Amino acid sequence: MRVRDLPSAEGKTNAFEVNNLLLTRSRACKIVEAIPGASIMKRSRLFRDTDEFCIFTIGPDKFAIEEPYGDNSRYWIGAKDGKSTQSLPLVRRAFEEHKSWLPPLRTLSAAVAVLLAALLYSKASQFIEQDKCLDSGGRWEAKSNTCSHIAQ
């Protein structure tokens, strides 16, 4: 997952952001749960959340995950006190290494698009052939997909 560092005025990274397009609040909490030594103190509750939806600790360090303004394209993840901590790189790495299902989805979407294009091309070319046949005074045979002209 792509991570965007948020440095403080002193130049130290004290928080980071991740895109939440394919990351739910619940999934973000599950990523935190997988961090060795992490303990979740507050977890997201569906439709009852504030901007800050996950509070957790790693050792003495207390962190929060929030969605600024409750409707943002990114989640903010950092120390509750806003200072840089020794555990932040561990949290950052957990999110950075999280594998999204987007790449398989892109591959599947591309395959579906190609199949649909082939199907539509097949149907469109059949329609065009049928139209040409009828325009030339012929009779279209649906069973054999052929055009026959009746001699007069």
Side-chain angles (χ1 to χ4, degrees), residues 107-123:
T107 304
L108 179 62
S109 298
V112 168
V114 167
L115 288 172
L116 283 174
L119 179 65
L120 289 174
Y121 176 78
S122 170
K123 291 294 181 186

Side-chain angles (χ1 to χ4, degrees), residues 17-132:
E17 290 180 330
V18 294
N19 191 315
N20 67 9
L21 178 64
L22 298 173
L23 180 66
T24 63
R25 290 177 169 212
S26 175
R27 192 73 180 131
C29 290
K30 287 183 183 192
I31 292 171
V32 168
E33 281 180 328
I35 300 171
S39 176
I40 295 183
M41 300 169 63
K42 176 190 173 193
R43 177 184 297 275
S44 178
R45 297 277 184 243
L46 192 60
F47 302 119
R48 291 184 248 158
D49 293 324
T50 60
D51 292 354
E52 193 174 77
F53 63 89
C54 184
I55 298 173
F56 61 99
T57 59
I58 299 177
D61 301 327
K62 194 171 183 180
F63 295 92
I65 305 176
E66 69 176 65
E67 185 175 11
Y69 313 109
D71 183 21
N72 201 322
S73 63
R74 295 181 181 160
Y75 294 144
W76 178 94
I77 304 163
K80 279 284 279 177
D81 61 8
K83 297 179 182 172
S84 185
T85 67
Q86 289 186 347
S87 303
L88 186 64
L90 182 65
V91 177
R92 184 189 187 285
R93 192 172 328 112
F95 279 88
E96 192 173 45
E97 291 175 354
H98 175 69
K99 299 291 185 222
S100 169
W101 45 270
L102 180 62
L105 182 65
R106 283 184 182 160
T107 304
L108 179 62
S109 298
V112 168
V114 167
L115 288 172
L116 283 174
L119 179 65
L120 289 174
Y121 176 78
S122 170
K123 291 294 181 186
S125 63
Q126 180 182 348
F127 176 78
I128 292 169
E129 289 300 315
Q130 183 180 11
D131 193 47
K132 285 180 184 177

